[in-house]
Amino acid sequence: NAGVMQNPRHLVRRRGQEARLRCSPMKGHSHVYWYRQLPEEGLKFMVYLQKENIIDESGMPKERFSAEFPKEGPSILRIQQVVRGDSAAYFCGTGSSYNEQFFGPGTRLTVL
Amino acid sequence: GENVEQHPSTLSVQEGDSAVIKCTYSDSASNYFPWYKQELGKGPQLIIDIRSNVGEKKDQRIAVTLNKTAKHFSLHITETQPEDSAVYFCAASSINTGTASKLTFGTGTRLQVTL
């Protein structure tokens, strides 16, 4: 986990609001993966990005969800008009080409 | 797509005993198999991994074996200690030179090491 930063650690939103989750990769890592974890379940892939490019978004819902990884700054996972079913822990994993993924501490999103 | 199954879902062992967790995968193109340890309220921590050109890998009390023909791989923890108590996840991915890929995770094994 060392070096991968996520914030906020906890986020509470009311239905219909927007949630923004941030991930700063470990130094030297240019690949970012976002995963969602429901209680008592494994991590489910959402989206894979490299700097300024979305490489694979096959696991991300088509509506309300978007992700970016700008040239400068952290990667952001954005959820618009949140619903109760969006409540989960969201983790980002970062890595370099074909190497291991290291995970951040996660953001726990609660939708009231 | 890839599907990873993991067993058992819970495992209780006495301190000092060994623990074994097993996973199977479906995609023959998968060639990278990491194991993660997740403690309550924390992110997954990579503890060991194995690539398909190797059948076994060991790191102190932890070892992983891979059977490509049967498409299964296992985590072995020897001389378990209370601090080994956590949820363990296996995962599979297809990694090629210069590219990377998403991980497909198993459903997790909750390991409890009792005194």
Side-chain angles (χ1 to χ4, degrees):
Chain A
N1 287 351
V4 180
M5 298 174 61
Q6 287 188 252
N7 65 80
R9 293 292 307 276
H10 300 273
L11 183 60
V12 179
R13 286 288 180 265
R14 296 190 180 278
R15 281 179 297 170
Q17 291 185 321
E18 178 180 289
R20 284 193 180 218
L21 289 62
R22 296 174 184 79
C23 170
S24 296
M26 187 181 290
K27 185 177 181 181
H29 286 180
S30 59
H31 301 232
V32 170
Y33 307 79
W34 285 94
Y35 296 82
R36 176 163 60 180
Q37 185 179 37
L38 295 173
E40 306 299 319
E41 293 188 9
L43 281 71
K44 295 288 196 296
F45 168 77
M46 299 180 71
V47 61
Y48 161 34
L49 311 100
Q50 294 182 28
K51 281 291 186 180
E52 300 185 276
N53 291 303
I54 294 176
I55 308 301
D56 181 354
E57 56 182 347
S58 59
M60 194 159 67
K62 294 284 187 286
E63 297 181 355
R64 301 190 299 109
F65 285 73
S66 62
E68 63 178 14
F69 189 15
K71 188 176 181 180
E72 300 291 337
S75 174
I76 296 175
L77 179 67
R78 181 185 180 199
I79 311 173
Q80 295 178 291
Q81 300 174 345
V82 296
V83 301
R84 289 213 172 112
D86 296 332
S87 295
Y90 292 83
F91 292 96
C92 78
T94 76
S96 55
S97 294
Y98 68 90
N99 283 335
E100 307 93 337
Q101 289 183 32
F102 296 92
F103 286 86
T107 293
R108 278 141 189 91
L109 173 65
T110 301
V111 179
L112 302 177
Chain B
E2 175 65 277
N3 181 53
V4 177
E5 295 190 356
Q6 183 172 348
H7 301 280
S9 57
T10 59
L11 180 59
S12 182
V13 299
Q14 284 198 320
E15 183 179 8
D17 287 350
S18 295
V20 180
I21 302 170
K22 299 181 179 181
C23 290
T24 60
Y25 62 99
S26 61
D27 189 352
S28 56
S30 290
N31 57 8
Y32 175 65
F33 307 93
W35 286 88
Y36 288 86
K37 175 184 181 182
Q38 187 176 29
E39 296 175 317
L40 190 63
K42 296 184 178 181
Q45 176 190 3
L46 179 66
I47 56 172
I48 195 168
D49 57 13
I50 190 168
R51 299 177 193 270
S52 59
N53 58 347
V54 175
E56 184 174 356
K57 184 176 179 181
K58 189 173 182 180
D59 182 4
Q60 299 183 340
R61 297 187 296 110
I62 295 174
V64 58
T65 59
L66 171 65
N67 183 327
K68 287 191 296 183
T69 303
K71 295 202 189 84
H72 67 70
F73 55 113
S74 300
L75 177 71
H76 304 251
I77 306 174
T78 59
E79 300 172 22
T80 53
Q81 301 168 1
E83 50 265 39
D84 294 330
S85 296
V87 180
Y88 290 81
F89 292 97
C90 61
S93 179
S94 174
I95 296 180
N96 298 301
T97 302
T99 67
S101 180
K102 63 188 178 187
L103 293 172
T104 300
F105 282 84
T107 49
T109 296
R110 184 176 299 278
L111 174 64
Q112 180 72 43
V113 179
T114 58
L115 297 173

